[in-house]
Amino acid sequence: MDDVEKAILISFDESGAIDSELKLQAVNFCQKIKETPSICSLCIEKLCFCKLVQVQFWCLQALQEVIRVKYGSMSLEEKNFIRKSIFSMACLEGINDKMCVVLDSPAFIKNKLSQVLVTLIYFEYPLIWSSVFVDFLPHLSKGAVVIDMFSRLLNALDDELVSMDYPRTAEEVAVAGRVKDAMRNQCVPQIVRAWYDIVSMYRNTDPETCVTVLDCMRRYVSWIDIGLIVNDAFIPLLFELILVDGLLEQLRAAAAGCVLAVVSKRMDAHSKLSLLKSLQISRVFGLVSDDNDSDLVSAIAALITGYAVEVLECSKRVNTEDAKVISMELLDEVLPTVFYVMQNCEMDAAFSIVQFLSGYVATMKTHSSLQENQMLHISQILEVIRTQIRYDPMYRNNLDMVDMIGVEEESRMLEFRKDLFVLLRNVGRVAPEVTRIFIRNSLASAISSSSDKNAEEVEAALSLLYALGETMSDEAMRVGNGLLSELVTNLLSTRFPCHSNRLVALVYLETIERYMKFIQENVQCIPLVLAAFLDERGIHHPNIYVSRRASYLFMRIVKLLKSKLVPFIETILQSLQDVVARFTSMNLASREPAGSEDGAYVFEAIGLLIGMEDVSLEKQSDYLSSLLTPLCQQVEVTLMNAKALNPDESSLQLANIQQIIVAINALSKGFSERLVTSSRPAIGHMFKQTLDVLLQILVVFPKVEPLRTKVLSFIHRMVDTLGASVFPYLPKALEQLLAESEPKEMVGFLLLLNQLICKFSTLVRDILEEVFPTIAGRVFSAIQRVVDSSVTETNTEEIRELQELQKTLYTFLHVIATHDLSSVFLSPRSRDYLTSIMQLLLHTSCHHKDIVTRKACVQIFIKLIKDWCAKSSGEEKVPGFKSFIIETFATNCCLYSVLDKSFEFGDANTLVLFGEIVLAQKVMYEKFGDDFLVHFVSKGFPSPQNLAEQYCQKLKGNDIKALRSYYQSLIEHLRVQQNGSLVFR
């Protein structure tokens, strides 16, 4: 072993036993050898004598690199030497009377040799080395070794150059075209003849070689003359190989692959149809039922589905009546087997079941009525859909426990089912009655054979019924028909043994909810609906995911049925007693740990039920009192004992209070403002008492953020429920909320104030004047940190919270200004912040990256101008405001910010902002007259004078659209003059 071989072995070592420094030296040594002039002769010599596969691979790799990089600079003699040597190796010929050992090496060495040959073909065929393929053919008589090498060469040519399955450069595409044209003219017929002879000769003695040849041939069918394959010799041979029992299965599958390539070849639709008919494909139908897991069955399944796709495509493209009839006959012949394949065989990844079936269903839309065989096909399509949407039983436990595998499988199936349900809708439009009958029979079958073992079948049947409901309009569902009535009644009255299965239980409840429009019109179904949701199939289901979803769906059903449920209120409350007791019971130790939102939907449903005016005042008071009293008592007890609790007890109690607030909040959603304030104030009094109790939480636990958030949410609810009668409670509530407010909580506080302003407008002036100075002081102090940190900390959670606070502040200021409360800014305690507010609004209206926020700030200025500035030149309401608007706001916002190239007139939101800026100019002119106009024109309008005159004319007119259009064209004109810089400042 010489140094070169040693270096190659070391450089390829992956054992870890070689010192890294030594390995690096070996790699560098090998790289230097590649750069020597004698590298090609060295590599060929090593390939002749050395049996070490690492050395063989390195030499072939080096040859390929040298040819690719240095071919143009090689001498003619060197090219001839490489060409002759490599070809001799591939053909099992000696080099200088010495036999090369490469073809005795493993497959990856022979593959690399074929790649080197393809690299030569890339540069030399057909102009320099025109005989490469013709010269190779006589050597095939040497037997399987050379035949294998020839097949590897053709496969490598396809992979490296010809196939369009890989991205190619323009040069590679051109070379591939040149190579294919030359091969078609020169040697393809001889190659095809060689394929035929080899397969005929070796089919019984060396079937593996035949498999290699056929797999190679399959690649070439797409671009060679189809007549070379589709003839009285080759097609019968291929079908004979497919159909004869006893042959190697891989050989039969390879023959099927070749026929599929023939079937898939692109050609004129009429010629393709003749070809497809001539194949008599029905000969292979029987082969798919033998062994569904074999390679042969997979290949036959791919052939049949590929054939069906081509027939369907022909049926769309042919334009004669006879051809259409033939295509439909072929389709009718193949479809039953296609349906069998879809349900029983492993499908080829390239075949889309949904795409094919959707295409077939689309052909039926043109028919006024369906024929008997088409109706049969529709039923089979529906059966395929049912089979495809069924979960695999192997995932049953994972799906029930909702572990990682179960979550992944459920997500996969949800995505997979989408297209299948679209197909179901299309089938339903073509054959609505057939679809409904199929779904009815699927449900009946699931009911009759239901056991714990067929949960997947039941789930699939219910999913089909749910999907059917999605295709029906509300009107169709309300009217219903005999079949729909039967379906819904069967659904409601059935108790599946597999109802404990999570997926079955969920789709069962979802399906009932889907058909609620029918149930609304058929009130006799209501007891069955209530039973399904209130027993162990729904809210009392042992699986927590099911019971939670059932609670939510039940709340939706109560919203829909409402007054129709009045006769059942006692029954419902009795059934939910244990759920309610988990919240109203004082025995905390017995409670199961649960999320703070658990039970919220049940309480919301109860609130919707007992909050109706159809319920008598006496019963309504009793129901509400039985719920609110124990809940409030628990809160009061906890608040009284707060100081005596140890950390563990305190944590449990705080979680308990959170749940209680959520429950009361949800309960209150069923009571309207009119009921609690006008028709039944006694009910309103109960909620006021509850509010009083819950506000104490802010006093006892001022720093517990989750509790404060829940109480804040309840105050929001009480503003909507109690209306103006909530006012006496607001000072205390706002004081406590403001006492400990962090930036994140301040956002919630501002949202509460926004709600109060929007609901009560000027009635909250006194409250707002009281809290505004504190708010302004804290918010301006907080958002200054956004400015200070804008460069270095923009991604921190704190800065994101402060940015959210800043955004909410703009909304808050906008709400104040647009609800006639701008006087709040001028109250004695708030005036200290007026300058800061104006500067913030000015900067934001000019520079904020969010256009909608800029628009809001411009609107605030417009409202302030209207509120604070009189038309007469008397005493100013706000000293200095007029000059600030004219000299600062007008020029900076209405002119300079618009002149900036970043102001995109092509953006829809920007155009809306521009409209507000133009409106601001109109309002300033109306209030300030020539004081505004003279200053604005002097700052922004250069010569010629007519630009200023036209602007003044438009501004003084009444057509705001004309003003906006003119001002936009003026700005664009000024941009051209300023050439990118604000020369007018």
Side-chain angles (χ1 to χ4, degrees), residues 140 147 150-151 191 193-203 206 209-210 213:
L140 299 179
I147 293 170
F150 185 59
S151 298
I191 292 173
R193 181 69 203 185
W195 286 335
Y196 178 84
D197 291 341
I198 292 165
V199 174
S200 300
M201 183 184 303
Y202 288 95
R203 55 188 286 187
D206 190 353
T209 294
C210 297
V213 168

Side-chain angles (χ1 to χ4, degrees), residues 44 76 86 193 271 287 369 432 596 872 911 924 971 976:
I44 288 167
L76 195 61
I86 294 298
R193 181 69 203 185
S271 302
L287 297 177
S369 61
S596 63
S872 61
L911 278 178
M924 285 188 283
I971 292 297
V976 174

Side-chain angles (χ1 to χ4, degrees), residues 404 523 604 623 697 703 777 914:
M404 188 179 295
V523 292
E604 186 174 347
Y623 292 146
I697 295 170
K703 297 183 184 295
F914 184 72

Side-chain angles (χ1 to χ4, degrees), residues 405-552:
I405 295 172
V407 168
E408 288 179 2
E409 178 62 9
E410 190 169 3
S411 299
R412 186 193 70 79
M413 281 295 280
L414 282 172
E415 192 61 34
F416 177 68
R417 285 176 162 191
K418 285 178 183 176
D419 290 339
L420 287 160
F421 285 138
V422 170
L423 174 60
L424 178 68
R425 283 199 286 274
N426 291 335
V427 173
R429 292 188 188 103
V430 170
E433 200 59 29
V434 175
T435 304
R436 289 178 188 178
I437 291 170
F438 177 84
I439 292 174
R440 179 195 64 186
N441 293 343
S442 296
L443 186 62
S445 171
I447 291 169
S448 63
S449 64
S450 181
S451 70
D452 283 341
K453 294 180 180 177
N454 74 332
E456 291 73 27
E457 184 185 341
V458 172
E459 194 278 339
L462 291 170
S463 295
L464 288 175
L465 181 54
Y466 178 89
L468 175 67
E470 284 194 306
T471 67
M472 300 176 69
S473 66
D474 289 350
E475 185 58 32
M477 200 175 285
R478 272 194 291 270
V479 173
N481 58 29
L483 187 54
L484 182 62
S485 176
E486 181 187 342
L487 280 168
V488 177
T489 305
N490 284 346
L491 175 73
L492 293 172
S493 59
T494 301
R495 288 175 179 266
F496 298 103
C498 56
H499 225 118
S500 60
N501 179 277
R502 181 180 69 88
L503 290 179
V504 170
L506 285 172
V507 74
Y508 179 76
L509 298 172
E510 298 279 2
T511 306
I512 294 174
E513 198 267 342
R514 169 59 60 192
Y515 285 92
M516 282 311 298
K517 289 288 189 294
F518 173 84
I519 291 163
Q520 277 181 293
E521 301 298 318
N522 296 269
V523 292
Q524 72 276 9
C525 296
I526 289 177
L528 293 172
V529 173
L530 294 177
F533 275 90
L534 296 173
D535 64 22
E536 70 283 353
R537 290 173 290 173
I539 291 171
H540 290 94
H541 196 282
N543 187 299
I544 186 67
Y545 297 102
V546 176
S547 60
R548 283 176 180 169
R549 185 65 180 168
S551 300
Y552 169 72

